[in-house]
Amino acid sequence: MINLASCTNSNSPPSCLSFALDIEKPQDFLCNKHSESYPWQNVQIAGMGFVTGIAIHPTQKDLIYVRTDAGGIYRWQEETARWVQLLDGMPGHYSIESMALDARNPMVIYAATGAYTREANGEIIKSLDGGRTWAESNLRTPFGQRVKMGGNEEWRWAGERLAVDPNNSQVIYFGSRFDGLFRSQDSGETWHQVSSFPTQGVAPGGLSFVVFDPKAQQTSAGAVTQTGTIYVGVMGEGVYRSKDGGQIWQLLPNGPPNQENPQQAVVTDDGTLYVTTFTSQNDPGGGVWQYEQDQWTNITPRFGKNYSAVTHDPNNSESLMVAEYPFSPQGLYRTVNGGKTWQSVQLQVDAVPWWPNWHLYTLTGGLAMDPAYPQRVWLTTGFGVMRTENVGAQPSRWRTYMNNLEELVVFTLRSPPVENGALVFSGVADAHGFRHDSLERIPQKSYEKGAFGDTTGLDFSATNPNWIVRVGSFPGEGGREDSQGLGAYSDDNGRTWRPFTDLPVGAANGKVAVSATLQPNGKPIILWAPQGEVYPHRSLDGGQTWKPVNGAPNRTTLQLWFPSQAIAADQVDGDSFYLYKYGEPTGGSFYRSLDGGENWVRTLTGLPDHWIHTVKTLPGTAGDVWLSIQDQPLYRSQDAGQTFVPIAQVQQAHTFAFGKAAPGRTNPTVFVDGIINGVEGLFRSEDATSLSGTAAEATWVKISTDRNRLSNITYLEGDMRMFGRVYVGTGGRGIFYGQPEVEPEPMPK
């Protein structure tokens, strides 16, 4: 919980400010009789993800924020050396285009949010209490449309595009990708496009940064002091300057060539501007430029490279650091004489155990020299956050700081009920996934030992849960769009893996189902429904050979980012499998096989139709199949997929999972993410699976909170060994887990 001293005048520095940043507990925010208190925590992974920027408050010691491309904003907690997530109450704002701090009020932070420009849903949000609560500011174009932002697109490392005037906290600027320069003169309450700014920007980068010269103050009408000199970087054009508080703008001549796209910038205490530039990844030719006394000087440390991150020492105008993009062990430079000479900073990194050796050859985010510690520097990359306490040493020793900073995208989760086995297996983007022996300890290795790639499907044999199978891909020559298939099985609960020796031609990603029982050869039947055009195949020999099945459709998953699970094995009958197909002429259709997946028959047509869907089967009961479809009720079949009925009270089920029975019961628990009795959230029922038909008499309790809405949920998995424990896979916040803390009261029917 945050304890902040109040500050009533946003234009004056507060006389006192105290931060007591404790772990937020759901019970502090949820106190109604129809809900249950679940302490929610992240499964500790130190999950790689692009930390695109960092901001350190200039006067408040240890007040540090980082922004990410898919995982929100985190605030540093120095006393516990951990990060505190600030946007779990606003799951629609996890992709951060930019952020800005108020130099005169440490409690205030702004963020520009929006993942993709094609969605045109950008917004600027503001917090007055250090990120505990937020409000939207209703940023709009002159035509009333939302501004396009690309917090998860190219150039997301540029910036900051958002900036608060250091001399007047009411004045804020935002440089957009498509729609020009915006200004607020009332602390973000209202926004107006700066009509005098000469350009709207060119896609996809547009306006890349806004920086102020804090000593260039001016007094305007009404004796209001603001900053007179402002610089705005524009990709493909150069750097514009205003010397009259944003009224008149001019392109600074004789600067970086147009192909050198401005990336980041700082203005030192003596008024000198430093800018990094980037040409293209295929033909790098960016640089580092200094603008002093109306003159540009190229001070690039090493030519033939692109540059992005730049920082300066607030206590020494001649001391700066820059980083190449992409990052490399040779690509970090430091100068102590204003760029006349540079020294390559040699890094000795104590990294997260499972991070591969190439973690230093990755995306470059932000650099920050800490004003409170002369030798401390922060660096953010495509893997996370690092810090050194001795930047002047050669080599300088860096340590990763990733405690509670989890940003992985989760594709699938499975929790085989094996005594003394792994608690859960994860399939994730970029890092393949992990065998989680502990929820509190970081794994020592990933499935593919640091190789880049994705695991999209996991399943285990219900009666022999040590047998687990995973499928996914690694990038081909054309990158992720040219994914190459990958699969493996384990018969010892994931302690060791045996790669498939052959794959169906063209198969990659998709989902997998494993028969409940083993064959006489000691192996289960494996059904793989790959992504895209490849039809489902089955293997009877642990992935050594594959044969196409008969009658089952392809295209059950068109791309790996769709949170879906189209295929499932019966939990009792080793010959029965089930499959949902969206996008057929009659809508959604259901298929089943009763002969080990060799032959399939369509049992139903005209079902609701959506690419987000989940098929799962009830543990311990043959032919009991459950189906969720985006924006639809939760459906159940008790006749092996021939007919389905909606579960009563559940208006919408985005996804669901089964878990261990409650004490005194034998039927599995069911968890549902959706809308039940008009309330949105994550719910649990102890008795729904014991009731026939629509389960109209079932009781439901809400286990999520308004404070922590558990991000953008992609997958649920219940624990069959511990009642009430559920794992929540997300689209950028890693894996949450929760379990009951107090006895619930049922939700009324």
Side-chain angles (χ1 to χ4, degrees), residues 378-395:
W378 297 80
L379 169 68
T380 74
T381 72
F383 268 82
V385 182
M386 299 187 297
R387 188 179 86 184
T388 182
E389 306 294 335
N390 62 341
V391 70
Q394 288 287 42

mmCIF file with all atom_site columns, all heavy atoms in Angstrom, residues 378-395:
data_model
loop_
_atom_site.group_PDB
_atom_site.id
_atom_site.type_symbol
_atom_site.label_atom_id
_atom_site.label_alt_id
_atom_site.label_comp_id
_atom_site.label_asym_id
_atom_site.label_entity_id
_atom_site.label_seq_id
_atom_site.pdbx_PDB_ins_code
_atom_site.Cartn_x
_atom_site.Cartn_y
_atom_site.Cartn_z
_atom_site.occupancy
_atom_site.B_iso_or_equiv
_atom_site.pdbx_formal_charge
_atom_site.auth_seq_id
_atom_site.auth_comp_id
_atom_site.auth_asym_id
_atom_site.auth_atom_id
_atom_site.pdbx_PDB_model_num
ATOM 1   N N   . TRP A 1 378 ? 21.476 2.833   -14.651 1.00 0.00 ? 378 TRP A N   1
ATOM 2   C CA  . TRP A 1 378 ? 20.457 1.842   -14.995 1.00 0.00 ? 378 TRP A CA  1
ATOM 3   C C   . TRP A 1 378 ? 20.411 1.670   -16.508 1.00 0.00 ? 378 TRP A C   1
ATOM 4   O O   . TRP A 1 378 ? 20.557 2.635   -17.263 1.00 0.00 ? 378 TRP A O   1
ATOM 5   C CB  . TRP A 1 378 ? 19.083 2.282   -14.507 1.00 0.00 ? 378 TRP A CB  1
ATOM 6   C CG  . TRP A 1 378 ? 18.943 2.417   -13.020 1.00 0.00 ? 378 TRP A CG  1
ATOM 7   C CD1 . TRP A 1 378 ? 19.349 3.469   -12.252 1.00 0.00 ? 378 TRP A CD1 1
ATOM 8   C CD2 . TRP A 1 378 ? 18.335 1.495   -12.126 1.00 0.00 ? 378 TRP A CD2 1
ATOM 9   N NE1 . TRP A 1 378 ? 19.041 3.262   -10.933 1.00 0.00 ? 378 TRP A NE1 1
ATOM 10  C CE2 . TRP A 1 378 ? 18.404 2.045   -10.830 1.00 0.00 ? 378 TRP A CE2 1
ATOM 11  C CE3 . TRP A 1 378 ? 17.720 0.255   -12.291 1.00 0.00 ? 378 TRP A CE3 1
ATOM 12  C CZ2 . TRP A 1 378 ? 17.893 1.406   -9.715  1.00 0.00 ? 378 TRP A CZ2 1
ATOM 13  C CZ3 . TRP A 1 378 ? 17.200 -0.398  -11.181 1.00 0.00 ? 378 TRP A CZ3 1
ATOM 14  C CH2 . TRP A 1 378 ? 17.292 0.166   -9.909  1.00 0.00 ? 378 TRP A CH2 1
ATOM 15  N N   . LEU A 1 379 ? 20.165 0.439   -16.947 1.00 0.00 ? 379 LEU A N   1
ATOM 16  C CA  . LEU A 1 379 ? 20.040 0.123   -18.366 1.00 0.00 ? 379 LEU A CA  1
ATOM 17  C C   . LEU A 1 379 ? 18.853 -0.822  -18.547 1.00 0.00 ? 379 LEU A C   1
ATOM 18  O O   . LEU A 1 379 ? 18.715 -1.798  -17.806 1.00 0.00 ? 379 LEU A O   1
ATOM 19  C CB  . LEU A 1 379 ? 21.319 -0.554  -18.866 1.00 0.00 ? 379 LEU A CB  1
ATOM 20  C CG  . LEU A 1 379 ? 21.277 -1.187  -20.261 1.00 0.00 ? 379 LEU A CG  1
ATOM 21  C CD1 . LEU A 1 379 ? 21.141 -0.115  -21.338 1.00 0.00 ? 379 LEU A CD1 1
ATOM 22  C CD2 . LEU A 1 379 ? 22.522 -2.037  -20.503 1.00 0.00 ? 379 LEU A CD2 1
ATOM 23  N N   . THR A 1 380 ? 17.997 -0.532  -19.536 1.00 0.00 ? 380 THR A N   1
ATOM 24  C CA  . THR A 1 380 ? 16.889 -1.434  -19.838 1.00 0.00 ? 380 THR A CA  1
ATOM 25  C C   . THR A 1 380 ? 17.031 -1.951  -21.258 1.00 0.00 ? 380 THR A C   1
ATOM 26  O O   . THR A 1 380 ? 17.475 -1.228  -22.157 1.00 0.00 ? 380 THR A O   1
ATOM 27  C CB  . THR A 1 380 ? 15.528 -0.738  -19.668 1.00 0.00 ? 380 THR A CB  1
ATOM 28  O OG1 . THR A 1 380 ? 15.291 0.164   -20.753 1.00 0.00 ? 380 THR A OG1 1
ATOM 29  C CG2 . THR A 1 380 ? 15.457 0.016   -18.354 1.00 0.00 ? 380 THR A CG2 1
ATOM 30  N N   . THR A 1 381 ? 16.650 -3.225  -21.451 1.00 0.00 ? 381 THR A N   1
ATOM 31  C CA  . THR A 1 381 ? 16.830 -3.891  -22.737 1.00 0.00 ? 381 THR A CA  1
ATOM 32  C C   . THR A 1 381 ? 15.635 -4.792  -23.029 1.00 0.00 ? 381 THR A C   1
ATOM 33  O O   . THR A 1 381 ? 14.642 -4.808  -22.293 1.00 0.00 ? 381 THR A O   1
ATOM 34  C CB  . THR A 1 381 ? 18.106 -4.758  -22.736 1.00 0.00 ? 381 THR A CB  1
ATOM 35  O OG1 . THR A 1 381 ? 17.886 -5.917  -21.907 1.00 0.00 ? 381 THR A OG1 1
ATOM 36  C CG2 . THR A 1 381 ? 19.307 -3.992  -22.221 1.00 0.00 ? 381 THR A CG2 1
ATOM 37  N N   . GLY A 1 382 ? 15.768 -5.582  -24.101 1.00 0.00 ? 382 GLY A N   1
ATOM 38  C CA  . GLY A 1 382 ? 14.742 -6.545  -24.456 1.00 0.00 ? 382 GLY A CA  1
ATOM 39  C C   . GLY A 1 382 ? 14.620 -7.700  -23.494 1.00 0.00 ? 382 GLY A C   1
ATOM 40  O O   . GLY A 1 382 ? 13.692 -8.512  -23.612 1.00 0.00 ? 382 GLY A O   1
ATOM 41  N N   . PHE A 1 383 ? 15.532 -7.810  -22.539 1.00 0.00 ? 383 PHE A N   1
ATOM 42  C CA  . PHE A 1 383 ? 15.442 -8.842  -21.507 1.00 0.00 ? 383 PHE A CA  1
ATOM 43  C C   . PHE A 1 383 ? 15.009 -8.277  -20.161 1.00 0.00 ? 383 PHE A C   1
ATOM 44  O O   . PHE A 1 383 ? 14.528 -9.031  -19.319 1.00 0.00 ? 383 PHE A O   1
ATOM 45  C CB  . PHE A 1 383 ? 16.780 -9.567  -21.353 1.00 0.00 ? 383 PHE A CB  1
ATOM 46  C CG  . PHE A 1 383 ? 16.900 -10.783 -22.211 1.00 0.00 ? 383 PHE A CG  1
ATOM 47  C CD1 . PHE A 1 383 ? 17.253 -10.665 -23.537 1.00 0.00 ? 383 PHE A CD1 1
ATOM 48  C CD2 . PHE A 1 383 ? 16.647 -12.049 -21.707 1.00 0.00 ? 383 PHE A CD2 1
ATOM 49  C CE1 . PHE A 1 383 ? 17.367 -11.785 -24.345 1.00 0.00 ? 383 PHE A CE1 1
ATOM 50  C CE2 . PHE A 1 383 ? 16.748 -13.178 -22.505 1.00 0.00 ? 383 PHE A CE2 1
ATOM 51  C CZ  . PHE A 1 383 ? 17.115 -13.052 -23.839 1.00 0.00 ? 383 PHE A CZ  1
ATOM 52  N N   . GLY A 1 384 ? 15.202 -7.002  -19.918 1.00 0.00 ? 384 GLY A N   1
ATOM 53  C CA  . GLY A 1 384 ? 14.793 -6.464  -18.630 1.00 0.00 ? 384 GLY A CA  1
ATOM 54  C C   . GLY A 1 384 ? 15.646 -5.307  -18.177 1.00 0.00 ? 384 GLY A C   1
ATOM 55  O O   . GLY A 1 384 ? 15.981 -4.420  -18.961 1.00 0.00 ? 384 GLY A O   1
ATOM 56  N N   . VAL A 1 385 ? 16.019 -5.319  -16.885 1.00 0.00 ? 385 VAL A N   1
ATOM 57  C CA  . VAL A 1 385 ? 16.676 -4.183  -16.245 1.00 0.00 ? 385 VAL A CA  1
ATOM 58  C C   . VAL A 1 385 ? 17.990 -4.638  -15.618 1.00 0.00 ? 385 VAL A C   1
ATOM 59  O O   . VAL A 1 385 ? 18.056 -5.669  -14.946 1.00 0.00 ? 385 VAL A O   1
ATOM 60  C CB  . VAL A 1 385 ? 15.781 -3.566  -15.151 1.00 0.00 ? 385 VAL A CB  1
ATOM 61  C CG1 . VAL A 1 385 ? 16.459 -2.346  -14.528 1.00 0.00 ? 385 VAL A CG1 1
ATOM 62  C CG2 . VAL A 1 385 ? 14.420 -3.181  -15.720 1.00 0.00 ? 385 VAL A CG2 1
ATOM 63  N N   . MET A 1 386 ? 19.046 -3.825  -15.840 1.00 0.00 ? 386 MET A N   1
ATOM 64  C CA  . MET A 1 386 ? 20.344 -4.051  -15.201 1.00 0.00 ? 386 MET A CA  1
ATOM 65  C C   . MET A 1 386 ? 20.800 -2.755  -14.540 1.00 0.00 ? 386 MET A C   1
ATOM 66  O O   . MET A 1 386 ? 20.368 -1.666  -14.915 1.00 0.00 ? 386 MET A O   1
ATOM 67  C CB  . MET A 1 386 ? 21.388 -4.488  -16.222 1.00 0.00 ? 386 MET A CB  1
ATOM 68  C CG  . MET A 1 386 ? 21.058 -5.783  -16.944 1.00 0.00 ? 386 MET A CG  1
ATOM 69  S SD  . MET A 1 386 ? 22.423 -6.353  -18.000 1.00 0.00 ? 386 MET A SD  1
ATOM 70  C CE  . MET A 1 386 ? 22.527 -5.014  -19.177 1.00 0.00 ? 386 MET A CE  1
ATOM 71  N N   . ARG A 1 387 ? 21.703 -2.907  -13.555 1.00 0.00 ? 387 ARG A N   1
ATOM 72  C CA  . ARG A 1 387 ? 22.226 -1.731  -12.847 1.00 0.00 ? 387 ARG A CA  1
ATOM 73  C C   . ARG A 1 387 ? 23.668 -1.977  -12.454 1.00 0.00 ? 387 ARG A C   1
ATOM 74  O O   . ARG A 1 387 ? 24.038 -3.097  -12.099 1.00 0.00 ? 387 ARG A O   1
ATOM 75  C CB  . ARG A 1 387 ? 21.380 -1.455  -11.602 1.00 0.00 ? 387 ARG A CB  1
ATOM 76  C CG  . ARG A 1 387 ? 21.719 -0.158  -10.894 1.00 0.00 ? 387 ARG A CG  1
ATOM 77  C CD  . ARG A 1 387 ? 20.806 0.047   -9.696  1.00 0.00 ? 387 ARG A CD  1
ATOM 78  N NE  . ARG A 1 387 ? 21.307 -0.603  -8.491  1.00 0.00 ? 387 ARG A NE  1
ATOM 79  C CZ  . ARG A 1 387 ? 20.650 -0.645  -7.323  1.00 0.00 ? 387 ARG A CZ  1
ATOM 80  N NH1 . ARG A 1 387 ? 19.440 -0.110  -7.239  1.00 0.00 ? 387 ARG A NH1 1
ATOM 81  N NH2 . ARG A 1 387 ? 21.170 -1.244  -6.275  1.00 0.00 ? 387 ARG A NH2 1
ATOM 82  N N   . THR A 1 388 ? 24.462 -0.904  -12.519 1.00 0.00 ? 388 THR A N   1
ATOM 83  C CA  . THR A 1 388 ? 25.830 -0.974  -12.010 1.00 0.00 ? 388 THR A CA  1
ATOM 84  C C   . THR A 1 388 ? 26.022 0.083   -10.935 1.00 0.00 ? 388 THR A C   1
ATOM 85  O O   . THR A 1 388 ? 25.385 1.148   -10.959 1.00 0.00 ? 388 THR A O   1
ATOM 86  C CB  . THR A 1 388 ? 26.860 -0.758  -13.132 1.00 0.00 ? 388 THR A CB  1
ATOM 87  O OG1 . THR A 1 388 ? 28.180 -0.894  -12.582 1.00 0.00 ? 388 THR A OG1 1
ATOM 88  C CG2 . THR A 1 388 ? 26.739 0.621   -13.757 1.00 0.00 ? 388 THR A CG2 1
ATOM 89  N N   . GLU A 1 389 ? 26.915 -0.212  -10.004 1.00 0.00 ? 389 GLU A N   1
ATOM 90  C CA  . GLU A 1 389 ? 27.278 0.735   -8.952  1.00 0.00 ? 389 GLU A CA  1
ATOM 91  C C   . GLU A 1 389 ? 28.649 1.343   -9.208  1.00 0.00 ? 389 GLU A C   1
ATOM 92  O O   . GLU A 1 389 ? 29.093 2.194   -8.433  1.00 0.00 ? 389 GLU A O   1
ATOM 93  C CB  . GLU A 1 389 ? 27.287 0.037   -7.584  1.00 0.00 ? 389 GLU A CB  1
ATOM 94  C CG  . GLU A 1 389 ? 26.001 -0.692  -7.234  1.00 0.00 ? 389 GLU A CG  1
ATOM 95  C CD  . GLU A 1 389 ? 24.817 0.245   -7.059  1.00 0.00 ? 389 GLU A CD  1
ATOM 96  O OE1 . GLU A 1 389 ? 25.041 1.427   -6.732  1.00 0.00 ? 389 GLU A OE1 1
ATOM 97  O OE2 . GLU A 1 389 ? 23.674 -0.204  -7.257  1.00 0.00 ? 389 GLU A OE2 1
ATOM 98  N N   . ASN A 1 390 ? 29.309 0.908   -10.294 1.00 0.00 ? 390 ASN A N   1
ATOM 99  C CA  . ASN A 1 390 ? 30.679 1.388   -10.527 1.00 0.00 ? 390 ASN A CA  1
ATOM 100 C C   . ASN A 1 390 ? 30.931 1.587   -12.023 1.00 0.00 ? 390 ASN A C   1
ATOM 101 O O   . ASN A 1 390 ? 31.794 0.948   -12.615 1.00 0.00 ? 390 ASN A O   1
ATOM 102 C CB  . ASN A 1 390 ? 31.697 0.407   -9.933  1.00 0.00 ? 390 ASN A CB  1
ATOM 103 C CG  . ASN A 1 390 ? 31.618 -0.983  -10.576 1.00 0.00 ? 390 ASN A CG  1
ATOM 104 O OD1 . ASN A 1 390 ? 30.620 -1.343  -11.190 1.00 0.00 ? 390 ASN A OD1 1
ATOM 105 N ND2 . ASN A 1 390 ? 32.678 -1.745  -10.421 1.00 0.00 ? 390 ASN A ND2 1
ATOM 106 N N   . VAL A 1 391 ? 30.167 2.492   -12.620 1.00 0.00 ? 391 VAL A N   1
ATOM 107 C CA  . VAL A 1 391 ? 30.250 2.661   -14.070 1.00 0.00 ? 391 VAL A CA  1
ATOM 108 C C   . VAL A 1 391 ? 31.638 3.105   -14.524 1.00 0.00 ? 391 VAL A C   1
ATOM 109 O O   . VAL A 1 391 ? 32.046 2.849   -15.665 1.00 0.00 ? 391 VAL A O   1
ATOM 110 C CB  . VAL A 1 391 ? 29.183 3.666   -14.549 1.00 0.00 ? 391 VAL A CB  1
ATOM 111 C CG1 . VAL A 1 391 ? 29.518 5.092   -14.105 1.00 0.00 ? 391 VAL A CG1 1
ATOM 112 C CG2 . VAL A 1 391 ? 29.011 3.607   -16.056 1.00 0.00 ? 391 VAL A CG2 1
ATOM 113 N N   . GLY A 1 392 ? 32.411 3.719   -13.644 1.00 0.00 ? 392 GLY A N   1
ATOM 114 C CA  . GLY A 1 392 ? 33.740 4.176   -14.033 1.00 0.00 ? 392 GLY A CA  1
ATOM 115 C C   . GLY A 1 392 ? 34.789 3.089   -14.039 1.00 0.00 ? 392 GLY A C   1
ATOM 116 O O   . GLY A 1 392 ? 35.902 3.304   -14.534 1.00 0.00 ? 392 GLY A O   1
ATOM 117 N N   . ALA A 1 393 ? 34.460 1.908   -13.502 1.00 0.00 ? 393 ALA A N   1
ATOM 118 C CA  . ALA A 1 393 ? 35.435 0.816   -13.464 1.00 0.00 ? 393 ALA A CA  1
ATOM 119 C C   . ALA A 1 393 ? 35.482 0.102   -14.813 1.00 0.00 ? 393 ALA A C   1
ATOM 120 O O   . ALA A 1 393 ? 34.539 0.143   -15.594 1.00 0.00 ? 393 ALA A O   1
ATOM 121 C CB  . ALA A 1 393 ? 35.071 -0.170  -12.363 1.00 0.00 ? 393 ALA A CB  1
ATOM 122 N N   . GLN A 1 394 ? 36.602 -0.559  -15.079 1.00 0.00 ? 394 GLN A N   1
ATOM 123 C CA  . GLN A 1 394 ? 36.760 -1.362  -16.286 1.00 0.00 ? 394 GLN A CA  1
ATOM 124 C C   . GLN A 1 394 ? 37.269 -2.746  -15.908 1.00 0.00 ? 394 GLN A C   1
ATOM 125 O O   . GLN A 1 394 ? 38.442 -2.884  -15.548 1.00 0.00 ? 394 GLN A O   1
ATOM 126 C CB  . GLN A 1 394 ? 37.723 -0.683  -17.269 1.00 0.00 ? 394 GLN A CB  1
ATOM 127 C CG  . GLN A 1 394 ? 37.156 0.556   -17.948 1.00 0.00 ? 394 GLN A CG  1
ATOM 128 C CD  . GLN A 1 394 ? 36.101 0.237   -19.006 1.00 0.00 ? 394 GLN A CD  1
ATOM 129 O OE1 . GLN A 1 394 ? 35.237 -0.616  -18.805 1.00 0.00 ? 394 GLN A OE1 1
ATOM 130 N NE2 . GLN A 1 394 ? 36.156 0.933   -20.129 1.00 0.00 ? 394 GLN A NE2 1
ATOM 131 N N   . PRO A 1 395 ? 36.396 -3.772  -15.954 1.00 0.00 ? 395 PRO A N   1
ATOM 132 C CA  . PRO A 1 395 ? 34.999 -3.680  -16.366 1.00 0.00 ? 395 PRO A CA  1
ATOM 133 C C   . PRO A 1 395 ? 34.120 -3.182  -15.226 1.00 0.00 ? 395 PRO A C   1
ATOM 134 O O   . PRO A 1 395 ? 34.505 -3.263  -14.050 1.00 0.00 ? 395 PRO A O   1
ATOM 135 C CB  . PRO A 1 395 ? 34.656 -5.122  -16.732 1.00 0.00 ? 395 PRO A CB  1
ATOM 136 C CG  . PRO A 1 395 ? 35.512 -5.941  -15.806 1.00 0.00 ? 395 PRO A CG  1
ATOM 137 C CD  . PRO A 1 395 ? 36.793 -5.165  -15.669 1.00 0.00 ? 395 PRO A CD  1
#
